[in-house]
């Protein structure tokens, strides 16, 4: 949950709520939770990390993805779809390079903007968002509702698979890895897999200043190993995260990473005096390797009004109002990829090799070929 | 949902060893005309599990496919390709369900869209 203090132009992120989300998440996920209370749940049973847990938990959707990915896309589906038509040239090039008659599986197809792009191929799309899949079906595409981490396809049926802007919505490395394994599993030997993800190294740095960074220690707490599942209520912390002034954004475009960090640090310092009793947890070092974010989605009031989903999203705290922008604001969870991270993620795959990798429009992209 | 998709789908419930093929429950079938593409059909033929397609087509009320899995020599027959085309691409399950062969779990098909999402206790 994010509250906005207009006078400080800063976000207050109440991490207690995230902790609560995480606890709910693990009790739902780990059926072996002890009967005498949550404090006895072993961290090895939480999402992420180690092998004993992976088979049990990797397919279970953490609460953060349910709330800040699935529910958000369900709520914004028509607006999202209406604004998502531009096709990345590199994805189009890949799809057009595939032999005529290829069966292409799009895992996490969204509004289906790549389905049918190569008219000589047969596309099948899936997405976890039912409203987005309905939009695809209305456009005449062949689609189904399914989870990219656990595809309901038999092995080796596809000629190629694609995952465009999907993996960055998965909140643990094990789940991101599992999704890659699935993309490889469902194609034939010799089949190609294209994966693109948002890069931490955004070409337009002013964009990043509009995102809400999530402090590493809290992200680790609900996704990583080695963290206590339950903490005492006294450890409730507020974190204030500045949003850069919009008037600065032009300037910031030309800023280097370092000076931007300095600016952020400065702003944080200033705001810290404004906030009574709040604690800052992101230092400059954290900021450089920041990969976990909430990225806002602005749903204009004129659209929000026609959709009952927004009223209930506001009531439940999933969304907030921004009268200045005239929009209902939703937060979407992102794990943006650092340079080399996608290559590292796929390097463990025994039955696939990297045939190409590139950086395109602030995305890391990789093409794999299934070898056995 | 066309039968090409049915031939690819498999129940992925935790613990299920062989989730293929899914049994079909029919509430409503539609026939949709699709452009005939012999090259595509010849390519798909090698991916298709014949028995699964045959049974699915029968369930949807189409009984023109050969019972025995044909060898690839039939791909020269236009008559065969027409039937294969119809079964694979023109029969559309509009309303109904797909049933896991091991557990009996039903995956609904609504407005032609299968929902293959699993519950928390199935993953």
């Amino acid at each position: 949950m994010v509250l906005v203090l207009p006078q400080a132009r800063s976000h207050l992120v109440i991490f207690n709520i995230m902790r609560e989300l995480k606890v709910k998440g693990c009790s739902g996920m780990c059926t072996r939770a002890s009967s005498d209370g949550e404090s006895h749940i072993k961290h090895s049973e939480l999402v992420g990390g180690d092998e004993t847990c992976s088979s049990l938990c990797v397919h279970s959707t953490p609460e953060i993805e349910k709330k800040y990915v699935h529910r958000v896309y369900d709520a914004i589906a028509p607006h999202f779809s209406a604004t998502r038509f531009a096709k990345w040239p590199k994805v189009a090039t890949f799809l057009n390079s595939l032999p005529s008659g290829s069966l292409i599986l799009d895992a996490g197809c969204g509004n289906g903007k790549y389905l049918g792009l190569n008219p000589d191929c047969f596309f099948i799309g899936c997405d976890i968002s039912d409203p987005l899949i309905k939009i695809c079906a209305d456009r005449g595409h062949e689609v189904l509702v399914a989870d990219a981490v656990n595809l309901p396809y038999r092995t080796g049926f596809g000629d190629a698979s694609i995952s465009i802007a999907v993996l960055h919505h998965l909140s643990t490395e094990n789940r991101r890895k599992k999704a890659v394994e699935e993309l490889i599993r469902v194609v034939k030997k010799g089949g190609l897999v294209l994966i693109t993800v948002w890069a931490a190294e955004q070409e337009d740095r002013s964009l990043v200043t509009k995102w809400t960074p999530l402090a590493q220690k809290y992200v680790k707490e609900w996704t990583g190993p080695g963290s206590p599942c339950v903490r005492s209520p006294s450890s409730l912390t507020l974190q204030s995260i500045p949003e850069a002034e919009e008037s600065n954004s032009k300037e910031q475009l030309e800023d280097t990473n370092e000076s931007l960090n300095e600016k952020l640090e400065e702003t944080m310092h200033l705001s810290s005096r404004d906030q009574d009793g709040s604690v800052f947890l992101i230092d400059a070092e954290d900021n450089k390797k920041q990969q976990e974010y909430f990225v806002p989605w602005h749903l204009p009031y004129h659209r929000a009004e026609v959709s009952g989903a927004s009223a209930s999203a506001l009531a439940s705290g999933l969304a907030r109002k921004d009268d200045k922008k005239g929009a209902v604001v939703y937060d979407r969870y992102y794990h943006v990829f650092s340079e080399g991270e996608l290559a590292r993620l796929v390097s463990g795959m025994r039955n696939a090799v990297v045939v190409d990798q590139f950086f395109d429009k602030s995305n890391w992209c990789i093409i794999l070929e299934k070898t056995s | 949902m066309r039968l090409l998709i049915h031939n690819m789908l498999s129940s992925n419930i935790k613990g299920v060893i062989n989730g293929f093929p899914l049994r079909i429950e029919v509430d409503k079938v539609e026939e949709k005309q699709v452009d005939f593409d012999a090259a595509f059909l010849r390519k798909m033929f090698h991916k298709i599990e014949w028995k699964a397609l045959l049974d699915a087509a029968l369930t949807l009320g189409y009984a023109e496919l050969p019972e025995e899995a044909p060898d690839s020599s039939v791909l020269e027959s236009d008559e065969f390709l027409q039937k294969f085309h119809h079964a694979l691409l023109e029969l559309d399950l509009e309303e109904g369900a797909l049933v896991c062969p091991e557990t009996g779990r039903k995956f609904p098909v609504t407005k032609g869209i299968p929902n293959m999402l699993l519950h928390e206790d199935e993953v």
Side-chain angles (χ1 to χ4, degrees):
Chain A
M1 174 175 288
V2 179
L3 303 171
V4 179
L5 283 187
Q7 72 274 24
R9 291 190 59 79
S10 67
H11 284 160
L12 275 182
V13 182
I14 303 175
F15 282 97
N16 192 40
I17 288 165
M18 292 179 177
R19 209 176 63 224
E20 184 196 316
L21 280 174
K22 176 201 147 224
V23 172
K24 268 199 280 183
C26 67
S27 57
M29 246 172 296
C30 303
T31 49
R32 289 183 287 123
S34 68
S35 55
D36 54 345
E38 284 165 331
S39 58
H40 289 255
I41 298 170
K42 277 179 254 152
H43 72 70
S44 65
E45 291 178 278
L46 299 178
V47 201
D50 66 14
E51 310 76 43
T52 55
C53 158
S54 62
S55 65
L56 185 69
C57 294
V58 74
H59 286 137
S60 291
T61 310
E63 289 296 315
I64 189 168
E65 292 175 34
K66 285 186 196 163
K67 182 168 180 183
Y68 293 103
V69 182
H70 306 170
R71 282 174 64 192
V72 172
Y73 278 107
D74 285 353
I76 68 174
H79 184 236
F80 175 81
S81 179
T83 56
R84 288 295 172 277
F85 44 82
K87 295 167 183 77
W88 289 333
K90 299 257 189 183
V91 177
T93 303
F94 173 82
L95 293 173
N96 283 321
S97 74
L98 297 171
S100 173
S102 293
L103 193 85
I104 304 169
L105 306 173
D106 186 346
C109 64
N111 67 337
K113 69 177 180 175
Y114 293 110
L115 302 177
L117 187 135
N118 180 342
D120 297 328
C121 294
F122 192 94
F123 289 77
I124 299 168
C126 76
D127 202 282
I128 206 160
S129 167
D130 187 58
L132 283 173
I133 282 299
K134 284 204 174 90
I135 289 169
C136 297
D138 287 345
R139 292 174 174 176
H141 297 306
E142 202 62 57
V143 284
L144 56 135
V145 182
D147 189 343
V149 176
N150 190 8
L151 292 171
Y153 304 155
R154 53 181 174 101
T155 298
F157 195 85
D159 294 306
S161 61
I162 60 172
S163 167
I164 310 302
V166 175
L167 294 193
H168 52 226
H169 284 314
L170 301 175
S171 60
T172 71
E173 184 163 316
N174 271 352
R175 287 173 58 73
R176 296 188 282 270
K177 198 175 271 176
K178 187 71 198 166
V180 175
E181 285 169 7
E182 284 290 84
L183 291 162
I184 297 168
R185 181 184 69 78
V186 298
V187 299
K188 65 177 185 185
K189 183 184 171 188
L192 298 180
V193 177
L194 169 67
I195 302 168
T196 80
V197 292
W198 277 21
E201 301 81 3
Q202 290 285 310
E203 284 165 355
D204 178 358
R205 296 213 158 269
S206 70
L207 204 61
V208 183
T209 63
K210 295 181 176 119
W211 301 350
T212 307
L214 307 174
Q216 278 298 321
K217 62 180 283 196
Y218 290 102
V219 174
K220 275 189 194 128
E221 189 171 290
W222 31 261
T223 60
S227 51
C229 192
V230 176
R231 290 162 51 198
S232 71
S234 63
S235 62
L236 166 71
T237 18
L238 293 177
Q239 183 186 20
S240 182
I241 297 151
E243 246 190 14
E245 294 290 334
E246 262 152 43
S247 56
N248 288 344
S249 62
K250 225 177 188 174
E251 230 174 278
Q252 280 165 1
L253 259 172
E254 288 132 39
D255 275 346
T256 63
N257 194 14
E258 283 71 24
S259 66
L260 182 62
N261 283 336
E262 276 165 30
K263 200 168 273 180
L264 278 171
E265 230 181 334
E266 203 178 293
T267 325
M268 277 188 260
H269 202 71
L270 283 172
S271 334
S272 76
R273 287 193 299 247
D274 299 339
Q275 306 296 324
D276 190 23
S278 65
V279 183
F280 293 111
L281 296 157
I282 296 181
D283 57 21
E285 197 48 44
D286 249 349
N287 194 46
K288 271 178 207 154
K289 53 188 186 211
Q290 184 68 40
Q291 287 183 259
E292 312 293 326
Y293 288 98
F294 279 159
V295 176
W297 181 270
H298 295 96
L299 186 63
Y301 284 157
H302 65 87
R303 293 200 67 108
E305 277 161 16
V306 297
S307 158
S310 287
S312 60
L314 286 166
S316 69
L318 182 64
R320 62 185 182 277
K321 280 178 146 185
D322 184 339
D323 285 330
K324 225 173 180 177
K325 290 201 168 96
V328 175
V329 186
Y330 289 84
D331 283 315
R332 289 176 298 161
Y333 167 79
Y334 276 77
H335 166 88
V336 292
F337 280 63
S338 59
E339 183 170 11
E341 184 179 355
L342 186 56
R344 277 198 302 280
L345 192 71
V346 304
S347 66
M349 308 291 157
R350 270 180 234 144
N351 55 348
V353 291
V354 175
V355 292
D356 197 7
Q357 48 187 320
F358 44 91
F359 182 81
D360 183 40
K361 299 192 185 304
S362 300
N363 288 271
W364 295 112
C365 312
I366 210 158
I367 298 174
L368 305 173
E369 182 181 334
K370 186 169 178 175
T371 51
S372 60
Chain B
M1 183 206 67
R2 298 192 248 179
L3 295 191
L4 171 58
I5 314 303
H6 171 261
N7 213 273
M8 174 183 75
L9 291 180
S10 179
S11 164
N12 54 357
I13 296 170
K14 186 183 167 193
V16 167
I17 307 290
N18 194 358
F20 178 86
L22 295 153
R23 198 156 51 75
I24 299 178
E25 285 185 0
V26 181
D27 286 332
K28 187 181 169 200
V29 176
E30 278 185 9
E31 293 194 14
K32 293 176 182 169
Q33 215 175 343
V34 175
D35 290 345
F36 181 80
D37 181 346
F40 177 72
L41 293 168
R42 289 193 183 103
K43 200 165 176 175
M44 283 304 115
F45 179 78
H46 302 286
K47 293 180 185 289
I48 295 300
E49 289 280 339
W50 191 258
K51 183 81 166 65
L53 178 65
L54 177 74
D55 289 347
L58 284 170
T59 309
L60 268 57
Y62 184 70
E64 301 296 313
L65 293 178
E67 269 193 36
E68 289 300 312
D71 63 41
S72 41
S73 64
V74 293
L75 297 176
E76 301 311 314
S77 155
D78 190 57
E79 191 195 347
F80 171 80
L81 286 180
Q82 291 288 352
K83 289 173 180 174
F84 183 49
H85 167 76
H86 183 69
L88 198 66
L89 299 170
E90 295 191 319
L91 295 175
D92 213 308
L93 181 69
E94 194 65 12
E95 300 289 334
L98 301 171
V99 185
C100 171
E102 275 191 27
T103 64
R105 151 79 139 96
K106 288 185 187 179
F107 297 96
V109 177
T110 314
K111 291 184 177 160
I113 305 169
N115 187 326
M116 300 299 293
L117 282 186
L118 301 177
H119 303 132
E120 286 282 312
D121 57 357
E122 294 173 325
V123 297

